[in-house]
Amino acid sequence: AQSVTQLGSHVSVSEGALVLLRCNYSSSVPPYLFWYVQYPNQGLQLLLKYTSAATLVKGINGFEAEFKKSETSFHLTKPSAHMSDAAEYFCAVTKTGGGNKLTFGTGTQLKVEL
Amino acid sequence: GAGVSQSPSNKVTEKGKDVELRCDPISGHTALYWYRQSLGQGLEFLIYFQGNSAPDKSGLPSDRFSAERTGGSVSTLTIQRTQQEDSAVYLCASSLASPETQYFGPGTRLLVL
């Protein structure tokens, strides 16, 4: 079975500061990993995904994540936070080899302060 | 192009009533998923349709929940004899195939009184 753990249900950063949202995964087979963002009263939007190609994945809105097998991590980063980044972020995992249901983490609410 | 659409956007019902939630996937997407988002349980997988294969129903929480997908396109999630704990946002997603990106609709917010 696959699972993801997101450390920190709430993260607060200043505008212009580094954003770091943590995600650790557990999977018995090589995983596919995703970061989604959810703005209030909206559905989920894909930020980026890892599917066993390059370990450093670049996504939309300046976000990127690095797959580290040795640490079983897939942390999300952005060099400089913007007010519009305030939202809830979900890490998700699915397994290779068929079936594509996503298992989500509990989410991290990002607050960006002036 | 059009994204995933869901209707209704909000639904208020009384305990014990049946409800139907609709999902229109992106045209040409063969895979369709239902998830539930609630305060207590987070985001949970419910059911997955892939082409003409038998659906993966492993996430349905009880036999009061069922879903169908007609003609490989539109899907309906039905909850019979609703309970207060069914109150949640029900999200639908579609993708071209595994392990392609899943595109989510805006959700249906269900409140059971």
Side-chain angles (χ1 to χ4, degrees):
Chain A
Q2 299 79 40
S3 66
V4 289
T5 301
Q6 292 184 242
L7 291 176
S9 58
H10 291 80
V11 170
S12 183
V13 299
S14 300
E15 191 174 36
L18 171 72
V19 176
L20 170 62
L21 304 182
R22 299 178 186 273
C23 174
N24 288 86
Y25 70 90
S26 172
S27 179
S28 57
V29 297
Y32 293 143
L33 292 158
F34 304 79
W35 276 100
Y36 280 87
V37 61
Q38 186 176 36
Y39 298 99
N41 299 316
Q42 294 186 26
L44 298 167
Q45 180 182 9
L46 180 72
L47 280 176
L48 47 81
K49 64 181 180 181
Y50 167 76
T51 57
S52 75
T55 56
L56 182 61
V57 182
K58 294 187 183 297
I60 62 171
N61 302 338
F63 285 93
E64 64 181 37
E66 186 172 7
F67 174 73
K68 291 187 177 180
K69 184 177 179 181
S70 60
E71 298 178 8
T72 61
S73 68
F74 190 58
H75 302 331
L76 181 71
T77 61
K78 182 174 180 178
S80 177
H82 191 273
M83 296 295 290
S84 61
D85 295 326
E88 189 156 22
Y89 292 79
F90 292 92
C91 183
V93 64
T94 188
K95 64 179 183 181
T96 57
N100 200 24
K101 53 189 176 185
L102 293 170
T103 300
F104 287 90
T106 51
T108 297
Q109 186 72 47
L110 176 65
K111 182 178 180 181
V112 182
E113 300 174 315
L114 287 172
Chain B
V4 177
S5 62
Q6 294 185 244
S7 60
S9 54
N10 291 280
K11 176 72 176 179
V12 181
T13 191
E14 294 178 347
K15 178 182 173 181
K17 297 284 182 68
D18 297 352
V19 295
E20 285 189 351
L21 312 180
R22 177 187 169 104
C23 172
D24 281 273
I26 293 172
S27 179
H29 280 193
T30 58
L32 186 147
Y33 312 79
W34 284 98
Y35 295 87
R36 178 169 71 173
Q37 186 174 24
S38 58
L39 283 176
Q41 302 297 324
L43 273 157
E44 306 172 278
F45 163 79
L46 295 177
I47 188 169
Y48 160 53
F49 297 89
Q50 172 62 62
N52 295 321
S53 302
D56 177 352
K57 304 180 182 180
S58 60
L60 294 179
S62 78
D63 59 8
R64 296 186 295 105
F65 288 72
S66 63
E68 62 178 19
R69 188 177 186 192
T70 53
S73 182
V74 171
S75 177
T76 302
L77 177 69
T78 301
I79 309 173
Q80 295 179 308
R81 304 180 303 281
T82 52
Q83 303 295 312
Q84 289 181 330
E85 60 263 29
D86 300 333
S87 295
V89 177
Y90 290 82
L91 293 166
C92 176
S94 70
S95 70
L96 280 171
S98 173
E100 294 296 325
T101 299
Q102 294 180 33
Y103 295 88
F104 283 80
T108 293
R109 189 174 301 272
L110 175 66
L111 177 61
V112 182
L113 300 176

